[in-house]
Amino acid sequence: MLRLRVLLVVCVLALAGCGGGGKPGTDRKRTAGGGVGTKDPVPGEKIGDAINRIKGAATASGCEAVKGLLHSTYGDVSDEACRAVKAEIGAFRDPAGAAYGTGAAIDFQTAAGEQRTAILVLDADRTFRLDFVLDTHQQTIGTTKPAAFDRNATMVVRTMQTGDCSGFLRLASRTMGLGVGPDDEVCRRVSEVPFRRELVANPAAKPVPLGGNGWEAFYKLRTRPDAYYTMVMVREDPASTVGSPRYVLVNALPAG
């Protein structure tokens, strides 16, 4: 089951792919279209720094520290949504993480022993910020990334460039991120997402693998010379024991 679904749905529906940025006046505020210059962004911290930040937020009173964990794309988060995020993080026990270029994953356990993985991507301030949380039931760091991730990442970008929404729906998560909602609604909404419009204008753009594991994979996506997005794909298992896992797009967030 994918976590932070409510936050991702609000982001997509309210901001057509999330273009709001952080609170005015913060150093995390970004420019429209993900403008970061022509050089690829480089993290200004190690994965251990992100782990320590989440640890601090998990034990802090109130919710302001948790709001500071989220990617600036999510804008101003309500206290209700923030409390939901804090509940998903829980006690944040035994964390172990890995960085994959401008993406990162941190395995951890809740107080009840549930295994989850925090998915993070680089923000404008060059720190890793929370995108969403996966309920994986197992450790993901160190597992082998299936070839299907790269194949489907290339295919889903192509569907956005060509306007093939039927193909997009088959390659996107339907429970969170860009693929949430009825088919017609998703097709209309995704057509207006900023990075999708940029992909149409640049048919040569392709996702570049940054790394990952058996459950999540990250891709560099330059839609313009000055626009860099971190594209996130995840594994979704079938609801029953019948069927094969799907390797699907969740979202793509700007690094600046």
Side-chain angles (χ1 to χ4, degrees):
M1 178 180 176
L2 293 168
R3 300 283 176 167
L4 289 195
R5 182 180 298 126
V6 172
L7 187 58
L8 276 169
V9 170
V10 169
C11 176
V12 171
L13 296 182
L15 298 175
C18 311
K23 295 180 180 179
T26 69
D27 60 359
R28 292 173 60 206
K29 186 176 181 182
R30 71 175 183 85
T31 57
V36 295
T38 56
K39 291 185 178 179
D40 288 354
V42 177
E45 65 175 1
K46 297 184 182 301
I47 191 64
D49 299 318
I51 289 174
N52 290 336
R53 192 164 55 249
I54 298 175
K55 278 184 179 178
T59 57
S61 60
C63 218
E64 288 306 309
V66 173
K67 291 181 181 180
L69 297 177
L70 300 175
H71 196 277
S72 62
T73 290
Y74 291 124
D76 293 333
V77 178
S78 70
D79 290 342
E80 181 181 3
C82 181
R83 287 191 293 270
V85 174
K86 191 169 186 178
E88 298 299 345
I89 296 171
F92 198 67
R93 292 178 176 172
D94 301 322
Y100 308 97
T102 54
I106 302 172
D107 291 336
F108 67 96
Q109 287 188 352
T110 67
E114 297 171 307
Q115 190 72 44
R116 295 177 181 168
T117 302
I119 305 299
L120 304 95
V121 296
L122 204 66
D123 211 333
D125 64 354
R126 302 298 178 259
T127 62
F128 289 111
R129 298 289 167 170
L130 187 62
D131 188 358
F132 57 92
V133 177
L134 287 171
D135 196 351
T136 55
H137 304 291
Q138 67 180 63
Q139 293 185 339
T140 70
I141 305 302
T143 57
T144 301
K145 188 184 84 168
F149 267 133
D150 290 354
R151 180 174 65 250
N152 288 5
T154 298
M155 291 170 62
V156 76
V157 167
R158 190 61 184 154
T159 66
M160 287 187 281
Q161 289 168 322
T162 61
D164 176 12
C165 196
S166 295
F168 175 84
L169 293 171
R170 291 192 297 270
L171 294 164
S173 170
R174 304 307 306 275
T175 61
M176 70 185 306
L178 293 169
V180 170
D183 292 358
D184 290 346
E185 180 182 309
V186 171
C187 292
R188 288 193 301 270
R189 189 177 66 241
V190 172
S191 69
E192 297 302 318
V193 170
F195 84 88
R196 188 265 170 177
R197 295 198 301 265
E198 294 164 11
L199 284 172
V200 172
N202 181 10
K206 291 180 173 59
V208 178
L210 296 172
N213 55 55
W215 285 86
E216 54 265 354
F218 302 89
Y219 298 85
K220 160 188 168 180
L221 188 60
R222 273 208 179 267
T223 55
R224 302 191 316 258
D226 64 340
Y228 182 111
Y229 295 84
T230 304
M231 192 171 91
V232 184
M233 305 276 291
V234 299
R235 166 179 166 163
E236 284 189 347
D237 284 339
S240 67
T241 56
V242 179
S244 301
R246 299 174 67 232
Y247 298 92
V248 293
L249 172 71
V250 176
N251 59 12
L253 299 187

